[in-house]
Amino acid sequence: MQAEFIVFLAVALVAIGAAIGMALSRHALYAAMFLVLNFACVAVMYLLLNAPFLAVAQVTVYTGAIMVLFVFVIMLLGAEKLPAQETRPEMRWQRPLAIGLGAFLLLQVGLALALPGMRAAPEPIDASPLAIGMKLFTTYLFPFEVASVLLLAAMVGAVTLTRKD
Amino acid sequence: MSILLETILKAVMFVVLALAGFAYTTWIERRLISRMQSRIGPNRVGPQGLLQPVAEGLKLIFKESITPAQADKFVYMLAPMLAVIPALALFAVIPISNHSFFNLAGGVDTAVLYVLAILGTAVYGIALAGWSSNNKYATLGGLRAAAQVISYELAMSLALVAVVLMAGSASMNVIIEKQLPGNILGWFIFRQPIAAALFAITALAELARSPFDLVEAEQELTAGYMTEYGGMKFALFFMSEYVKMIALSGLFTVFFLGGWSGPFVGDSWPLGLVYFSIKVLLCLMVMVWVRATLPRFRYDKLMAFGWKRLLPIALANVVITAALIAFGVPGYK
């Protein structure tokens, strides 16, 4: 318990630091690497929550595939450095929106911590690959198939966009 | 606390073994490839040149550490470490003997997925090294590496799906157990020959070894992502490549050659260690043999081969394996 808490604290601090670093970095490649670090921390948190399958899936999908593509594109386009300019006028509306949504999120977290019912630990569940597979192919079969159709649509779209004729 | 201590001890042992293996894999490769090319190879330092890796390690340590003027200094320094860490991390799930001391986490039921996750992150070291060197050849090498690894990882994952289907679990211990009963024909290389071939090919591609070594194609890219590296940083890239070679040989052994299994292995555990080492050594020698034999792919052929040949074959193999298991064909239970 004690050791788990120490690991959690360390990982959480690094995760928050990486997230802030990602948002503030003006260098696209550094931002991408901060995000990779953040994903790795989240994977460790899944492990702490007894969900090894989710942890490994997180690393495979986000750290190993999506972020590699991000880094690939950044390197290919040579778009590493953001110009050090002020926010463009047409983007101005984003700032108040971000503040509003951030405040809303903080409110939610505060409520979750304040309300006694929300703080009770949920029942521990079996998060082994076997259990997740069973759930996916029985209880959640329909959403699972819908997600695969969605991905297929994305794939067809990518092929259509890159066709030469 | 004792489990923490035990795990640390095991981890240190695995790292030491991997590094010793790295030093002597370079020796094996150079001696063997020399034989194949009618040369003698390094035989001056120590008997049969056995101290050559030590001499070269010392030389590389004492080399001046140079950073290119326009390089991104932090990433330039970080990249070799990012290359070595995943290579070493792979050993966490490879059981090298039936004794529990030689099995760090081979029993966890996400072991195969862990391997794929770690292999996916291994490309950062190479890609970032190429980018941070501020050298167009190095950058091109890094880009090629990223594209190649992403492309071949799909086929590798699907090859491993067939293995997991056969074993009914993604735990290394179970995969080895399922290959144990009776004779050598229980090994998955005989029951899953297509998956074994796919894994071997994609492993070579993941390693960026010949014939897939376009990442460091000398004629086009000088030394690719390593061009601007020297001294110990260069040695770290070398280390990551050879440690990964050993790790993937170990994984091939576990997935297809029955891991540590062999005659009388139940009676004494050191035998398991011996069998495992022999199988890994054979895999390493085949890699050297391939390098001495095959010319390099052309880049467009490499991509076409990965996406248009390997991927459909791997998919078909998964479907056929699943059907064989579902219909209970003997040998596929």
Side-chain angles (χ1 to χ4, degrees):
Chain A
M1 186 60 218
Q2 199 65 40
E4 244 173 54
F5 183 71
I6 294 168
V7 173
F8 169 77
L9 209 64
V11 170
L13 285 177
V14 175
I16 294 171
I20 293 173
M22 184 248 146
L24 296 184
S25 174
R26 295 203 71 82
H27 194 295
L29 205 79
Y30 276 80
M33 284 168 57
F34 273 125
L35 198 55
V36 170
L37 183 61
N38 185 272
F39 285 156
C41 291
V42 173
V44 176
M45 283 191 192
Y46 284 138
L47 275 183
L48 286 175
L49 290 171
N50 245 332
F53 179 78
L54 266 187
V56 181
Q58 162 90 7
V59 175
T60 315
V61 175
Y62 290 101
T63 318
I66 293 181
M67 285 319 290
V68 171
L69 271 182
F70 269 54
V71 169
F72 184 87
V73 170
I74 293 169
M75 281 165 55
L76 197 65
L77 298 181
E80 294 97 341
K81 287 211 174 62
L82 244 65
Q85 61 175 12
E86 273 305 293
T87 325
R88 278 188 291 166
E90 63 266 32
M91 301 283 206
R92 286 267 160 75
W93 56 273
Q94 287 188 345
R95 194 165 291 176
L97 187 69
I99 292 172
L101 287 175
F104 185 62
L105 180 72
L106 272 181
L107 187 73
Q108 272 183 322
V109 174
L111 272 179
L113 288 175
L115 296 175
M118 309 273 278
R119 227 165 51 184
E123 287 287 305
I125 50 156
D126 185 9
S128 67
L130 186 73
I132 289 179
M134 287 306 265
K135 281 260 191 259
L136 270 185
F137 285 104
T138 54
T139 322
Y140 301 110
L141 183 61
F142 184 68
F144 182 71
E145 293 294 341
V146 169
S148 66
V149 171
L150 198 67
L151 288 175
L152 181 69
M155 230 155 81
V156 172
V159 171
T160 319
L161 282 176
T162 50
R163 253 170 44 146
K164 282 229 175 66
D165 57 352
Chain B
M1 223 49 189
S2 73
I3 186 161
L4 187 70
L5 204 68
E6 192 190 328
T7 312
I8 291 173
L9 214 62
K10 281 181 181 177
V12 169
M13 180 201 66
F14 269 92
V15 169
V16 169
L17 278 180
L19 296 187
F22 149 63
Y24 282 92
T25 309
T26 62
W27 178 80
I28 290 171
E29 166 150 48
R30 294 172 66 185
R31 290 288 290 183
L32 203 62
I33 215 160
S34 302
R35 291 285 158 144
M36 290 173 184
Q37 297 168 342
S38 304
R39 295 185 287 121
I40 296 170
N43 68 344
R44 293 286 125 184
V45 194
Q48 293 296 314
L50 271 173
L51 292 179
Q52 186 74 29
V54 182
E56 287 188 352
L58 280 176
K59 183 193 92 174
L60 285 169
I61 287 175
F62 287 114
K63 274 205 154 188
E64 186 187 354
S65 165
I66 298 168
T67 310
Q70 296 292 309
D72 189 312
K73 299 232 164 32
F74 178 68
V75 180
Y76 181 81
M77 189 197 65
L78 189 71
M81 303 182 208
L82 286 181
V84 168
I85 292 167
L88 288 172
L90 280 175
F91 281 90
V93 292
I94 304 178
I96 60 174
S97 170
N98 47 349
H99 192 282
S100 67
F101 184 75
F102 294 100
N103 188 350
L104 192 55
V108 299
D109 55 5
T110 44
V112 175
L113 296 162
Y114 171 86
V115 167
L116 293 171
I118 296 294
L119 279 177
T121 54
V123 70
Y124 282 111
I126 296 175
L128 290 175
W131 173 81
S132 67
S133 301
N134 190 41
N135 172 323
K136 58 179 160 238
Y137 299 119
T139 308
L140 277 173
L143 284 174
R144 280 185 175 184
Q148 180 175 329
V149 169
I150 292 179
S151 306
Y152 279 76
E153 198 175 78
L154 281 171
M156 179 184 265
S157 320
L158 285 169
L160 291 183
V161 167
V163 172
V164 172
L165 275 175
M166 293 291 291
S169 167
S171 137
M172 300 296 181
N173 289 357
V174 180
I175 288 175
I176 293 175
E177 273 164 31
K178 291 281 168 154
Q179 303 178 61
L180 281 181
N183 50 33
I184 197 170
L185 289 177
W187 290 2
F188 283 165
I189 193 170
F190 299 112
R191 292 198 271 165
Q192 277 294 338
I194 298 174
L198 285 169
F199 184 80
I201 295 171
T202 50
L204 284 175
E206 291 269 332
L207 284 166
R209 268 187 74 85
S210 174
F212 302 106
D213 56 345
L214 295 106
V215 169
E216 42 196 283
E218 292 86 358
Q219 296 87 338
E220 309 154 22
L221 299 178
T222 59
Y225 65 94
M226 288 195 245
T227 306
E228 298 288 355
Y229 280 88
M232 255 344 250
K233 293 200 195 88
F234 169 76
L236 280 179
F237 282 119
F238 226 67
M239 184 192 289
S240 84
E241 185 181 332
Y242 281 86
V243 168
K244 246 197 291 182
M245 255 173 86
I246 301 169
L248 282 164
S249 298
L251 287 169
F252 188 84
T253 305
V254 168
F255 290 142
F256 300 105
L257 301 181
W260 39 258
S261 67
F264 308 114
V265 75
D267 301 334
S268 69
W269 61 265
L271 268 181
L273 216 55
V274 172
Y275 290 138
F276 187 85
S277 312
I278 290 173
K279 289 170 184 174
V280 167
L281 213 57
L282 279 175
C283 294
L284 288 173
M285 285 177 173
V286 170
M287 283 191 198
V288 175
W289 183 19
V290 167
R291 182 180 156 194
T293 311
L294 294 177
R296 188 177 288 139
F297 267 80
R298 217 172 64 201
Y299 193 70
D300 56 327
K301 296 266 181 194
L302 169 99
M303 282 296 158
F305 183 61
W307 287 102
K308 294 182 186 162
R309 300 271 184 284
L310 292 183
L311 197 60
I313 294 173
L315 267 173
N317 186 48
V318 169
V319 172
I320 292 169
T321 308
L324 286 176
I325 291 170
F327 294 122
V329 176
Y332 292 91
K333 187 187 61 78

